[in-house]
Amino acid sequence: MLPFSRVAIIGFGLIGSSVARAVRRAMPRVNLTGYDADADVRERGDTLGLFDDIADSAGAAVTDADLVILAVPVRASEAVARDIAADLPADCVVSDVGSVKAKVAEALAAHIDNSARIIPAHPVAGTENSGPDAGFADLFAGRWCILTPGADADPVAVERLSEFWRQLGSDVEIMDAAHHDIVLAVTSHLPHLIAYTIVGTASDVEEVTKSEVIKYSAGGFRDFTRIAASDPTMWRDVFLANRDAVLDVLQRFTEDLTALQRAIRWDDGDTLFKHFEVTRETRRRIIDAGQDTAAPDFGRVPPKESEVGED
Amino acid sequence: MLPFSRVAIIGFGLIGSSVARAVRRAMPRVNLTGYDADADVRERGDTLGLFDDIADSAGAAVTDADLVILAVPVRASEAVARDIAADLPADCVVSDVGSVKAKVAEALAAHIDNSARIIPAHPVAGTENSGPDAGFADLFAGRWCILTPGADADPVAVERLSEFWRQLGSDVEIMDAAHHDIVLAVTSHLPHLIAYTIVGTASDVEEVTKSEVIKYSAGGFRDFTRIAASDPTMWRDVFLANRDAVLDVLQRFTEDLTALQRAIRWDDGDTLFKHFEVTRETRRRIIDAGQDTAAPDFGRVPPKESEVGED
């Protein structure tokens, strides 16, 4: 059974284009319509054959839909909601893929009348690459998709959207938007902020050349550069839209870092050792839960001689 | 030409056992002797066939060597230097693989007379796994090995040790120990300290269960857990032995983080965007230099249905 038969996707970035590809593969009979605000991206989506139809406006994309998915930076959600509101069929489910949920729910509710049909969602999956060429159908396989329906959401619509994500390979969890935003502040937003920071810091130490940072990055630094290569617009929006939760966990992080800094300054090896010992267990559990590979070094393949560039 | 013909390795951890395997493959005619302070690890090294001979003491391991490599946590270097000093052949080159170089050079010089033959080294390579089973012959391929010979080091010995590492697949760079320690504070020690911190912070937020941290770790957090699963003894020693450089770069990191924190608090999207935009370039350069894979998500293979654990 298909949970939806006419799906419209607004935004052909990594996530939007991956949803399109995954729907095409898992539910080939679904009619897919798309729209992206950028004409070049619309053309690229057409060339890639991501959709049955590419519309000329967000409103035109949704007129026949029974599911609309906003796959745009979170701060752009409100403008899209405004643009599609008049064209939205009455029983159409409206969802999104944003990394922040409370602010997006507000933005959608501000323009869309039928609040029973608004079901924000967040597939916890991604790569450091952006744009319509970066997407792939497997992106959501074995990953969690979190739905954050409001109190008056239609339970049948929630179940249909859950089934939609399950058919794309995800496990579905339902929680309240505020809880989502604190959980993701911990597991995603803080890590991205820290990664962006450290990559900047490393570039600015006068005694160390940029070339040295690059050459010796295999000592650990390179792991941070992956998520710090993520889309700047998306992440600017995430931090601003989830400000309170991000500042809260950031404050905790700073306190913890200060404690380790003090242990280093005072030659307190026991405190360091005890702290470092417990973190292994967290990684083991992530691997056991299927959320990362057990292969050492993420299973990175050592470079072949011919692939090693000149510095 | 073999740069050395009788190599002794003290310590059969990830790095020591990888050097043994890499020597065996690249220079099969070299006689390899080993010693580890832990009797169980010595036995495991024997079972794995890592060495031609496993000695009963560090001194006995080095009596015939023309190269000795200390592959122990940096704070253990001094005790090993003391233990082998009396048995060391006069012309034997003494090196190590530690992540901190100034303190190790001091520790070796405190016990070993022939300072011309002391050539500290640091192969910038590793994985999050530890122990003799974790090593592999390819670990150093395409990675840099930094030598930090003192002012009175024998240039011929430096060239022989360089050739040794090149034969293991590494590119060799020579720099002064103090400079090494600040470069690695940036590219390795700070990233590890940050990763250890954030993994601890995430475990302690009351509103978020441990199970949630694990489930939604694909949002970015899991990247940090890899290096935070590294050997606690090794890393305790690194931070304490490179205290001044680590505290210096940590101070810079904290300032940069505070600036981004302020931008979030004051809704300053431009500052965030500008910062996030430049970090992509750093990753591109690391990939171009052969120090990381260009495959999205580190080339992690999406989990198969059967591998996805229950939570």
Side-chain angles (χ1 to χ4, degrees):
Chain A
M1 272 297 292
L2 287 178
F4 300 96
S5 58
R6 299 179 312 283
V7 176
I9 297 173
I10 312 297
F12 308 168
L14 167 67
I15 303 296
S17 75
S18 291
V19 173
R21 289 174 171 98
V23 168
R24 188 69 87 199
R25 192 176 67 181
M27 302 168 238
R29 286 180 303 126
V30 164
N31 182 273
L32 270 174
T33 304
Y35 173 75
D36 192 286
D38 182 325
D40 291 341
V41 174
R42 282 201 300 277
E43 198 178 309
R44 186 65 194 152
D46 192 27
T47 305
L48 291 168
L50 296 176
F51 298 92
D52 296 304
D53 293 294
I54 293 185
D56 289 330
S57 71
V62 307
T63 45
D64 277 331
D66 55 4
L67 171 65
V68 174
I69 297 180
L70 278 53
V72 298
V74 293
R75 284 203 158 187
S77 302
E78 183 163 0
V80 175
R82 193 186 54 223
D83 290 349
I84 63 173
D87 295 298
L88 216 49
D91 59 353
C92 177
V93 173
V94 180
S95 189
D96 77 312
V97 296
S99 301
V100 179
K101 298 269 63 84
K103 287 277 183 197
V104 169
E106 270 176 42
L108 299 183
H111 297 282
I112 294 167
D113 291 335
N114 189 350
S115 65
R117 296 303 183 120
I118 299 175
I119 307 168
H122 177 204
V124 185
T127 78
E128 63 275 32
N129 295 338
S130 315
D133 288 280
F136 54 98
D138 264 330
L139 181 61
F140 311 108
R143 300 283 166 251
W144 290 90
C145 184
I146 302 173
L147 309 191
T148 61
D152 54 353
D154 171 11
V156 174
V158 173
E159 178 45 36
R160 285 168 70 201
L161 190 63
S162 300
E163 179 56 23
F164 174 83
W165 280 104
R166 282 191 292 263
Q167 292 201 19
L168 301 193
S170 292
D171 293 311
V172 173
E173 191 76 55
I174 293 172
M175 64 177 75
D176 134 317
H179 186 63
H180 167 278
D181 289 353
I182 180 86
V183 171
L184 271 290
V186 171
T187 62
S188 179
H189 309 171
L190 179 64
H192 276 80
L193 187 67
I194 297 303
Y196 277 121
T197 305
I198 198 170
V199 174
T201 304
S203 307
D204 289 342
V205 178
E206 302 82 15
E207 300 94 323
V208 179
T209 68
K210 196 125 187 177
S211 160
E212 286 172 326
V213 170
I214 305 298
K215 280 164 82 169
Y216 309 121
S217 61
F221 178 70
R222 62 183 173 150
D223 281 20
F224 289 66
T225 62
R226 186 186 77 80
I227 64 176
S230 302
D231 186 61
T233 304
M234 169 189 162
W235 283 98
R236 176 199 62 197
D237 282 13
V238 167
F239 296 123
L240 298 180
N242 199 24
R243 183 181 66 179
D244 294 346
V246 169
L247 292 178
D248 178 41
V249 298
L250 182 52
Q251 180 59 33
R252 292 159 176 273
F253 169 82
T254 303
E255 288 166 17
D256 294 346
L257 186 59
T258 302
L260 292 182
Q261 180 174 9
R262 190 172 185 284
I264 293 170
R265 195 178 297 283
W266 292 95
D267 202 43
D268 178 2
D270 286 349
T271 293
L272 296 175
F273 185 85
K274 269 182 215 148
H275 188 98
F276 300 166
E277 215 182 11
V278 297
T279 49
R280 281 193 162 182
E281 169 68 7
T282 301
R283 179 148 186 89
R284 194 195 58 69
R285 288 189 59 190
I286 288 173
I287 290 165
D288 288 351
Q291 296 304 309
D292 208 343
T293 172
D297 217 15
F298 299 120
R300 285 177 177 119
V301 180
K304 292 187 186 65
E305 292 288 318
S306 60
E307 290 171 4
V308 178
E310 295 297 313
D311 191 84
Chain B
M1 273 293 295
L2 287 178
F4 300 97
S5 58
R6 299 178 311 282
V7 175
I9 297 173
I10 311 298
F12 308 168
L14 168 66
I15 304 294
S17 75
S18 291
V19 173
R21 289 174 171 99
V23 168
R24 189 67 90 200
R25 193 176 66 182
M27 303 171 239
R29 287 179 302 126
V30 163
N31 183 273
L32 271 173
T33 304
Y35 173 76
D36 192 287
D38 183 325
D40 292 341
V41 175
R42 283 202 299 280
E43 199 178 308
R44 187 65 194 152
D46 192 27
T47 306
L48 292 168
L50 296 176
F51 298 93
D52 296 302
D53 292 295
I54 294 184
D56 289 331
S57 71
V62 307
T63 45
D64 278 331
D66 54 5
L67 171 65
V68 175
I69 297 179
L70 277 53
V72 298
V74 294
R75 284 204 158 186
S77 303
E78 182 162 3
V80 175
R82 193 186 56 223
D83 290 349
I84 63 173
D87 295 298
L88 215 49
D91 60 352
C92 177
V93 172
V94 179
S95 189
D96 76 314
V97 296
S99 301
V100 179
K101 298 270 61 84
K103 287 277 184 197
V104 169
E106 270 176 41
L108 299 182
H111 298 282
I112 294 167
D113 291 336
N114 189 351
S115 64
R117 296 302 183 121
I118 300 175
I119 306 169
H122 177 204
V124 185
T127 78
E128 64 275 32
N129 295 338
S130 316
D133 288 279
F136 54 97
D138 266 328
L139 181 60
F140 311 108
R143 299 282 167 254
W144 290 90
C145 184
I146 301 173
L147 309 191
T148 60
D152 54 353
D154 171 13
V156 175
V158 172
E159 178 45 36
R160 285 168 69 199
L161 189 63
S162 300
E163 179 56 23
F164 174 84
W165 279 104
R166 282 191 292 264
Q167 292 201 18
L168 301 192
S170 292
D171 293 310
V172 173
E173 191 77 52
I174 293 173
M175 65 176 73
D176 122 334
H179 186 64
H180 168 279
D181 288 354
I182 181 85
V183 170
L184 272 290
V186 171
T187 62
S188 178
H189 309 171
L190 179 66
H192 276 79
L193 187 67
I194 297 303
Y196 277 121
T197 304
I198 198 170
V199 175
T201 303
S203 307
D204 289 342
V205 177
E206 303 82 15
E207 299 94 322
V208 180
T209 67
K210 196 124 184 177
S211 160
E212 287 173 324
V213 171
I214 305 298
K215 281 164 80 169
Y216 309 121
S217 60
F221 178 70
R222 62 183 174 149
D223 281 19
F224 290 65
T225 62
R226 187 187 76 82
I227 65 176
S230 302
D231 186 60
T233 304
M234 171 189 160
W235 282 99
R236 176 198 63 197
D237 282 14
V238 166
F239 296 123
L240 297 180
N242 199 23
R243 184 181 64 181
D244 294 346
V246 168
L247 292 178
D248 178 40
V249 297
L250 183 52
Q251 180 59 34
R252 292 160 176 274
F253 169 81
T254 303
E255 289 166 18
D256 294 345
L257 185 59
T258 302
L260 292 182
Q261 180 173 8
R262 190 173 185 283
I264 293 171
R265 193 177 300 282
W266 291 96
D267 202 43
D268 177 2
D270 287 349
T271 294
L272 295 175
F273 186 86
K274 270 183 214 147
H275 188 98
F276 300 166
E277 215 182 10
V278 297
T279 49
R280 282 194 159 180
E281 168 69 8
T282 301
R283 180 150 185 87
R284 194 194 57 70
R285 288 189 58 191
I286 288 173
I287 290 165
D288 288 350
Q291 296 305 308
D292 208 342
T293 172
D297 218 15
F298 300 120
R300 284 174 178 124
V301 180
K304 293 187 187 65
E305 292 289 316
S306 59
E307 290 171 3
V308 178
E310 294 298 310
D311 192 85

